[in-house]
Each structure stands twice: as C-alpha cells, then as structure tokens.
Amino acid sequence: MTDLVTLGEAMLAVSLTEPGPLSPGATARLSFAGAEATVAIGVGRQGHKSAWTGVVGADAAGTMILTALRAEGVDVSHVRTDASRPTGLMLRQRRTSDRTLASYYRKGQAGCGLGPEDVDPELVSRARILHITGITPALGPGPLEAVRHAVAIARTTGTTVSLDINYRSLLWSPREAADTLLPLVREADVVFAGLDEAGLFVEAGGVADTARALARLGPRQCVIKLGPDGALALVDGEIFVQAAVPVTAVDPIGAGDSFVAGYLSGLLDGAPPADRLRTAAICGAFSVSVPGDWEGLPRRSEGSLLDGDDVRR
C-alpha cells in the first residue's frame, strides 16, 4: 500500500545563485520544482511510501525530474512522458538580496497535459492519503478534471483527502479560484491555507475564527499557515498552536509545501495534532535554511538537529 499519492506539475528550475538581474555570465543552479512533488519527497524522507503522478516531456529536464524522484524513493511508475510537449520551466532570480522573483513558463508544456486518464483508480483507492493543491486545477481543464477524478475515487474508497489551497495569482483571479476550489474544500478531510487563502472562501478574522469558519465548510482538520508566526490547526473542534522554529532563512520558496509534508507525515504516523504541527514546523524550518524547494527537507532522524547547540559533535 502507498501511504500518500499526489498529482500535479513538476518543472525544471533554473535559479540564479547571486543577487541581481538575469544577465550574460550569471551563474545558475539546476534542479526541479513542484508543490506536489515536494510533498511526496518530504513524506518519503519521513519514512513513508509516496507516489507522484504527472506528465513530463521526453527531454533532458523530464529525465532529470524522474531520476531525482526515483532516487528519493518516490513511485513515478504512473508518470506519463509526452513526446509532443516539453517540460515546463521556472526561472528564479534573487532580484535583490532579500527579494526573489519567480517566472513560470508552463503554457502548452507537458505538465498542463495532465488529464483524468492519467489517474490510476487502484493507486488512489489503495492509498491512505490523496494530496492535492490549488495549483493543478488552475493549469487548465484537463488538470482540473484529473484532480476531480482523483478526489471522487478517494471519496468512494475512504482515502483521506488533503488539500493545500496554494493560491497563485499569476494563474487565475481570486474569484475563479474560489469558485473552482470551494467544492474541493467541501470534499477534503484536511485543508491547509494561509489567512489570505482562507479568505477566498470565508470571512477572514482572527486566526482561530478563520479556521472555525473554514471547518464549517466540511474539513475536519483546518491548518492555517502563518509563515514566521507559526501555524494554527483546528482538529475536530480543538485548537492547537505551533510557533515557528527559529532558523536563518536562505530561500523561502517551498516552505509551505515542506510544512504540509511534515504535517501529513505526522498524520500517517498517527501522531497527535500538536506533534503533527511540530513536525511540520521542523520540516518548514529545514526547507528555508538551504537553497531549493525540496533539497533541505529533513529525514526522520534529523529533526533533533534544530534543538540545542549550533554545532553537533
């Protein structure tokens, strides 16, 4: 049995290594990025079996992505390679020392070709958790139908549905996002959102009140991500609060997905809500401490490294 199944987009990531604009001679680092793939890796590093479904191009970028995911132990046997479309691209610049600019080149690319036919019903039905995000439905009709199809399978087979709102203003308007994602919020067992994201669906107030309003839409667990201010979870009507783990931030992109991976790993462990939040905060802290979306995600044995002395001997 696979513990967690997720589906979405993965892209080649080209990140400038020094602050400044894109210019001839600028040095860059190659990797890949994708919210759902990051969660699959994070859950895997915590000792659980994960699978990622998506579409990549029949090119060097697609090969690199699949090779890296396999190396992380992620099941990619249900990924489709599309010879007619290239793998998408994300270009990341540190425009100043403390401001990151991400540009996406995904229109007409392989990841946008995901469809319901790419979803294996048996894979979803045998998983303990199906994790989806609000990014994939914004990529087009095919990806939206793929997500809806996966959720419908999960609902009929008892697989827990996890939804991270992950609103992207470059992909669609707040109204479009709200109209499309509200049915998914109602179907989800666990919902992750920032305060602004929760405000797409409910009247945002205090953090706890916002979580309660979100829970009235259907989810039994509502987790409000607050970045450097930590997080709050409402689980079966009870409030739990977690402070952020103090670290020196190097790269904030991917922190939210890493947080989700930690929380879902705790859920798979059967850990109480407070412990899930603590694991989530640790994973988020590790993530922002190094460059890249997923590279810094901790393995289960490393969580204690953030406790105690700066140097462990």
Side-chain angles (χ1 to χ4, degrees):
M1 175 184 288
T2 300
D3 293 314
L4 179 137
V5 170
T6 187
L7 66 158
E9 173 194 45
M11 314 175 75
L12 175 68
V14 179
S15 304
L16 299 190
T17 56
E18 298 295 333
L22 185 66
S23 60
T27 56
R29 151 182 190 279
L30 292 182
S31 186
F32 70 94
E36 299 86 358
T38 294
V39 172
I41 292 170
V43 167
R45 288 192 181 184
Q46 289 295 308
H48 300 288
K49 294 181 179 179
S50 63
W52 176 77
T53 295
V55 184
V56 297
D59 48 30
T63 298
M64 181 193 75
I65 291 168
L66 294 183
T67 299
L69 287 171
R70 288 190 191 99
E72 290 291 336
V74 176
D75 178 2
V76 293
S77 61
H78 297 85
V79 175
R80 178 165 56 89
T81 298
D82 187 342
S84 66
R85 303 185 188 191
T87 303
L89 168 67
M90 179 181 73
L91 176 62
R92 184 183 300 166
Q93 305 171 64
R94 289 173 57 201
R95 193 60 186 82
T96 68
S97 60
D98 58 357
R99 291 291 185 272
T100 299
L101 174 64
S103 303
Y104 298 88
Y105 304 87
R106 52 167 46 112
K107 187 175 181 180
Q109 309 302 306
C112 296
L114 181 70
E117 66 279 5
D118 294 306
V119 178
D120 184 336
E122 184 176 358
L123 181 67
V124 175
S125 64
R126 296 181 63 185
R128 296 172 61 191
I129 296 176
L130 167 69
H131 178 66
I132 58 174
T133 78
I135 298 173
T136 305
L139 299 179
L144 172 58
E145 288 307 312
V147 169
R148 287 174 172 168
H149 183 47
V151 170
I153 295 167
R155 288 276 59 100
T156 60
T157 59
T159 299
T160 296
V161 176
S162 164
L163 166 64
D164 187 358
I165 300 302
N166 240 330
Y167 173 68
R168 295 291 186 266
S169 61
L170 294 178
L171 290 175
W172 52 4
S173 70
R175 176 46 53 196
E176 290 173 315
D179 290 346
T180 302
L181 297 180
L182 180 57
L184 297 175
V185 172
R186 295 188 185 279
E187 294 283 357
D189 300 290
V190 187
V191 170
F192 299 90
L195 268 179
D196 289 344
E197 292 172 331
L200 293 171
F201 314 101
V202 300
E203 185 175 345
V207 182
D209 288 340
T210 299
R212 291 189 183 98
L214 201 57
R216 284 194 286 272
L217 297 177
R220 293 180 56 189
Q221 302 182 49
C222 296
V223 184
I224 307 297
K225 297 182 287 185
L226 303 170
D229 294 323
L232 176 145
L234 177 71
V235 180
D236 294 329
E238 188 174 355
I239 292 290
F240 300 88
V241 177
Q242 171 66 52
V245 176
V247 291
T248 299
V250 173
D251 184 353
I253 296 179
D257 303 316
S258 301
F259 176 96
V260 168
Y263 187 92
L264 294 179
S265 295
L267 185 61
L268 289 166
D269 288 336
D275 290 349
R276 296 175 215 162
L277 279 177
R278 174 65 180 172
T279 301
I282 289 171
C283 287
F286 268 92
S287 176
V288 302
S289 299
V290 301
D293 287 36
W294 55 269
E295 287 85 344
L297 279 161
R299 302 190 184 279
R300 185 180 290 271
S301 61
E302 295 181 306
S304 63
L305 287 177
L306 296 183
D307 299 326
D309 297 334
D310 293 344
V311 179
R312 184 69 59 90
R313 295 186 174 93

